[in-house]
């Protein structure tokens, strides 16, 4: 038995109507799994199955990679950039048309509040539009040398990409990989997380509706240790684009090293969210509490370490407690719900274990810290918004990624200590800071080890803003031109203008 579902060779039978996804999308066709099977997708709000999904094994991955290779060496590889752009724009239109439906399905599959999913999923079409605008502009450059040669570069797609996406924001993560990969001229085998496979298969339907050639995008749900490992090991895959946990990235590196693949990794974070005493506290609290509990804390950009300058520390602790009491935790599809459940049982168990660790370490549990057990929520994976005060940066709740709605409030004195605490972590994905002192804002932002620093705002992410981490938070960048670069190779061509080459042995 898998932790979140029951794997079988035939579709499970259930009482009541479940959504059924009994085929994989490979080579432009909907096909039954060869060496996979079927799995229940669990609704984290109820703990019960809500969909039946086909999953693939190594043989299914192999035929998906072969389909992607055939498309890359065939019609897609020969397609000019402006035609790829037209298809991406068509996909953007289709995606935008179906965004409301996709948001509901993502909310059902992952447990995120529908009001949050609508905002997120409703913007995804912009990624496809922006990368479409670049698909016919992948020009190289001319390199001046001398009159005897003409030197120029061209940009070429890497080839077949294995895209492995997580369970917390499955559609966003898929979009961030698909849009630049397709604009660059690559083909893709997409493997969604086994806990949240439904929206990836819905995305495949949109790819089909948009009219992409067969094999350009293939979708194969599956377990990481089976389908994921097969995708990483496959010699027909040129690049792995992975979002997930650091230890899994290490396994991917070891497996993929045999074929010298290229890799981009978007991994974990333990972001510092710094509030100076001269900040606009109302706005800072809006951002800090919103970040602490959005997605039920299941975000790698979560501002889970809230660093507060000592003169306003008690005030911020009190405000966090007050605002936690205003968070409406409930069924994700309820329009009034602010925060849904954890996405699966294992994550619920992990979060609760870290709350116990925080208490045992001597942190002050200000509010929350428990699973919600009222009758309407008792079967789901719900946790109360949780606040710890009196935290120091050596505690495990301040050093390790929890991925739950747990905020750790850490006091500091002055800029230097704030920066020292902020950088005292193995992670370096995102950070935020609040101050009315413009000079301080620039000084502190310049000294923080993070791939993205937000100043007097938080979690502002767009298609054109590069996103990614330093240190253990990842390799490479998603979004922006930098993401497109990671799906491209550079070829240098040198042409003699004279056609002459000296005889080295003439004398």
């Amino acid at each position: 038995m898998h932790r979140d579902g029951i794997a079988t060779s035939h579709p499970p039978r259930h009482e009541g109507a479940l959504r059924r996804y009994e085929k994989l999308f490979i080579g432009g066709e909907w096909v039954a799994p060869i060496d996979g099977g079927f799995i229940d997708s669990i609704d984290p709000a109820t703990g019960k199955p809500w969909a039946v999904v086909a999953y693939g094994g190594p043989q299914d991955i192999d035929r998906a990679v072969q389909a992607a290779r055939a498309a890359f060496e065939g019609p897609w590889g020969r397609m000019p950039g402006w035609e790829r752009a037209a298809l991406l724009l068509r996909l953007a239109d289709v995606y935008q048309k179906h965004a409301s439906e996709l948001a509901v399905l993502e909310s059902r599959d992952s447990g995120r509040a529908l009001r949050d999913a609508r905002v997120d999923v409703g913007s995804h079409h912009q990624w496809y539009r922006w990368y479409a605008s670049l698909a016919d502009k992948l020009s190289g450059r001319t390199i001046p040398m001398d009159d005897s040669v003409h030197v120029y570069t061209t940009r070429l797609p890497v080839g077949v990409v294995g895209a492995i996406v997580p369970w917390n924001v499955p559609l966003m993560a898929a979009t961030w990989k698909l849009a630049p990969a397709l604009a660059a001229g690559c083909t893709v085998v997409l493997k969604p997380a086994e806990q949240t496979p439904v929206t990836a298969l819905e995305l495949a339907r949109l790819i089909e509706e948009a009219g992409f050639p067969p094999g350009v995008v293939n979708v194969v749900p599956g377990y990481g240790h089976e389908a994921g490992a097969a995708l990483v090991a496959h010699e027909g895959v040129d690049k792995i684009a992975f979002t997930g946990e650091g230890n899994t990235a290490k396994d991917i590196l070891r497996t993929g090293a045999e074929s010298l693949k290229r890799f981009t990794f978007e991994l974990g974070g333990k972001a510092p969210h710094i509030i100076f005493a001269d900040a606009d506290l109302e706005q800072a609290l809006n951002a800090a509490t919103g970040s602490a509990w959005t997605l039920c804390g299941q975000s790698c950009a979560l501002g889970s370490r809230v660093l507060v300058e000592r003169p306003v520390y008690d005030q911020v602790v009190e405000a966090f407690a007050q605002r936690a009491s205003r968070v409406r935790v409930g069924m994700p599809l309820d329009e009034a719900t602010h925060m849904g459940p954890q996405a699966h049982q294992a994550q619920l168990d992990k979060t609760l274990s870290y709350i116990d660790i925080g208490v045992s370490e001597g942190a002050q549990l200000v509010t929350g810290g428990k699973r919600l057990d009222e009758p309407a929520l008792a079967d789901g994976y719900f946790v109360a918004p949780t606040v710890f005060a009196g935290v120091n940066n050596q505690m495990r709740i301040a050093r390790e990624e929890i991925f739950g709605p747990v905020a750790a409030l850490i006091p500091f004195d002055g800029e230097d200590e704030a920066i020292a605490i902020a950088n005292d972590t193995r992670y370096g994905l995102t950070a935020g800071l609040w101050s009315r002192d413009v000079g301080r804002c620039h000084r502190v932002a310049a000294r923080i080890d993070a791939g993205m620093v937000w100043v007097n705002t938080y979690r502002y992410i767009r298609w054109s803003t590069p996103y990614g981490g330093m240190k253990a938070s990842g390799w490479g960048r998603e979004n922006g031109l930098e993401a497109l670069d990671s799906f491209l190779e550079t070829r240098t061509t040198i042409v003699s203008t004279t056609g002459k080459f000296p005889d080295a042995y003439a004398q």
Side-chain angles (χ1 to χ4, degrees):
M1 179 182 291
H2 179 59
R3 66 187 181 190
D4 270 322
I6 302 172
T8 64
S9 58
H10 300 287
R13 296 181 180 276
H14 299 279
E15 294 181 4
L18 301 184
R19 294 185 73 96
R20 309 189 77 85
Y21 299 85
E22 297 175 4
K23 300 289 180 68
L24 313 172
F25 187 66
I26 297 175
E29 298 181 352
W30 294 94
V31 298
I34 296 174
D35 59 346
F38 299 88
I39 189 170
D40 289 342
S41 186
I42 303 300
D43 182 341
T46 65
K48 297 179 175 61
W50 78 284
V52 175
V53 180
Y55 72 91
Q59 292 183 58
D60 299 302
I61 289 293
D62 179 64
R63 60 176 171 165
V65 173
Q66 290 188 42
R69 177 62 59 188
F72 180 71
E73 294 178 353
W76 189 249
R78 295 191 295 268
M79 186 177 289
W82 61 269
E83 288 189 18
R84 292 199 308 274
L87 283 170
L88 280 165
L89 289 172
R90 197 175 306 161
L91 176 58
D93 290 341
V94 172
Y95 201 112
Q96 187 174 13
K97 181 175 70 173
H98 292 283
S100 294
E101 305 155 41
L102 291 171
V104 170
L105 294 174
E106 176 135 322
S107 180
R108 193 80 188 275
D109 214 20
S110 70
R112 68 188 304 189
L114 180 58
R115 58 166 30 183
D116 176 62
R118 279 183 174 154
V119 174
D120 177 21
V121 177
S123 71
H124 291 172
H125 66 96
Q126 298 285 10
W127 268 261
Y128 294 106
R129 295 190 198 284
W130 194 74
Y131 281 103
S133 74
L134 301 173
D136 61 351
K137 300 173 183 66
L138 306 179
S139 56
R141 61 193 180 97
T142 299
I143 302 174
M145 290 300 295
D146 57 55
D147 291 344
S148 67
V149 291
H150 175 58
V151 183
Y152 62 93
T153 64
T154 46
R155 309 303 303 280
L156 309 168
V158 164
V160 175
V161 174
I164 303 176
V165 300
W167 45 260
N168 62 327
V169 282
L171 274 174
M172 184 185 81
T175 294
W176 285 16
K177 290 167 176 55
L178 281 172
L182 296 175
C186 296
T187 56
V188 180
V189 178
L190 174 65
K191 193 209 83 67
E194 58 263 33
Q195 298 92 343
T196 53
V198 167
T199 50
L201 292 167
E202 290 288 349
L203 180 55
R205 291 178 178 174
L206 304 188
I207 296 285
E208 186 178 35
E209 183 178 339
F212 280 76
V216 173
V217 179
N218 309 272
V219 180
V220 183
Y223 297 110
H225 66 278
E226 293 175 348
L231 186 59
V232 172
H234 204 294
E235 292 190 356
V237 174
D238 301 294
K239 172 186 165 70
I240 295 293
F242 170 75
T243 298
E245 201 269 332
N247 287 329
T248 304
K250 293 176 185 178
D251 291 338
I252 288 172
L253 275 175
R254 283 188 283 266
T255 302
E258 287 297 318
S259 53
L260 291 175
K261 288 179 172 58
R262 289 147 187 79
F263 300 95
T264 48
F265 294 129
E266 199 275 280
L267 307 176
K270 196 69 179 175
H273 201 157
I274 306 168
I275 301 176
F276 286 98
D278 68 347
D280 182 331
L281 282 186
E282 181 70 17
Q283 301 308 313
L285 285 164
N286 289 345
T289 56
S291 168
W293 302 314
T294 189
L295 279 170
C296 199
Q298 297 165 137
S299 167
C300 49
L302 183 74
S304 55
R305 288 188 300 151
V306 185
L307 281 53
V308 186
E309 198 162 19
R310 208 172 293 274
V312 295
Y313 183 79
D314 291 342
Q315 183 180 346
V316 169
V317 171
E318 182 180 355
F320 257 79
Q322 290 174 347
R323 290 180 182 229
S325 69
R326 289 162 37 195
V327 178
R328 292 191 295 269
V329 182
M331 302 303 282
L333 295 182
D334 186 338
E335 298 281 358
T337 293
H338 291 136
M339 190 178 91
Q342 302 269 252
H344 52 86
Q345 179 72 54
Q347 182 55 48
L348 170 67
D349 294 342
K350 179 183 177 185
T351 295
L352 294 175
S353 73
Y354 269 101
I355 291 170
D356 291 340
I357 288 168
V359 172
S360 69
E361 289 180 319
Q364 177 193 353
L365 179 60
V366 177
T367 189
K370 63 180 182 178
R371 181 175 184 176
L372 298 178
D373 56 4
E374 54 257 42
L377 306 179
D379 292 332
Y381 310 138
F382 294 91
V383 179
T386 298
V387 180
F388 278 105
V391 178
N392 68 66
N393 205 50
Q394 302 313 307
M395 293 179 177
R396 288 182 64 189
I397 59 170
R399 303 199 72 79
E400 299 173 15
E401 189 174 41
I402 299 171
F403 234 56
V406 180
L409 275 59
I410 304 172
F412 70 87
D413 293 296
E415 286 181 29
D416 288 342
E417 187 179 14
I419 292 163
I421 295 172
N423 290 341
D424 182 18
T425 173
R426 61 191 296 263
Y427 297 109
L429 183 59
T430 61
L433 66 100
W434 291 81
S435 172
R436 287 189 171 96
D437 184 332
V438 175
R440 165 181 281 166
C441 290
H442 285 287
R443 285 194 305 272
V444 174
R447 294 175 62 191
I448 293 178
D449 299 333
M452 178 170 270
V453 180
W454 292 292
V455 179
N456 292 332
T457 186
Y458 205 82
R459 294 187 78 246
Y460 183 94
I461 299 171
R462 296 295 186 271
W463 41 91
S464 56
T465 56
Y467 180 90
M470 301 177 181
K471 301 190 282 191
S473 286
W475 290 1
R477 293 293 181 267
E478 297 195 290
N479 303 336
L481 296 174
E482 287 78 0
L484 193 61
D485 286 342
S486 73
F487 292 99
L488 293 166
E489 297 276 23
T490 297
R491 175 194 288 145
T492 302
T493 303
I494 302 172
V495 180
S496 171
T497 59
T498 66
K500 296 178 180 179
F501 199 92
D503 182 355
Y505 310 109
Q507 296 182 5

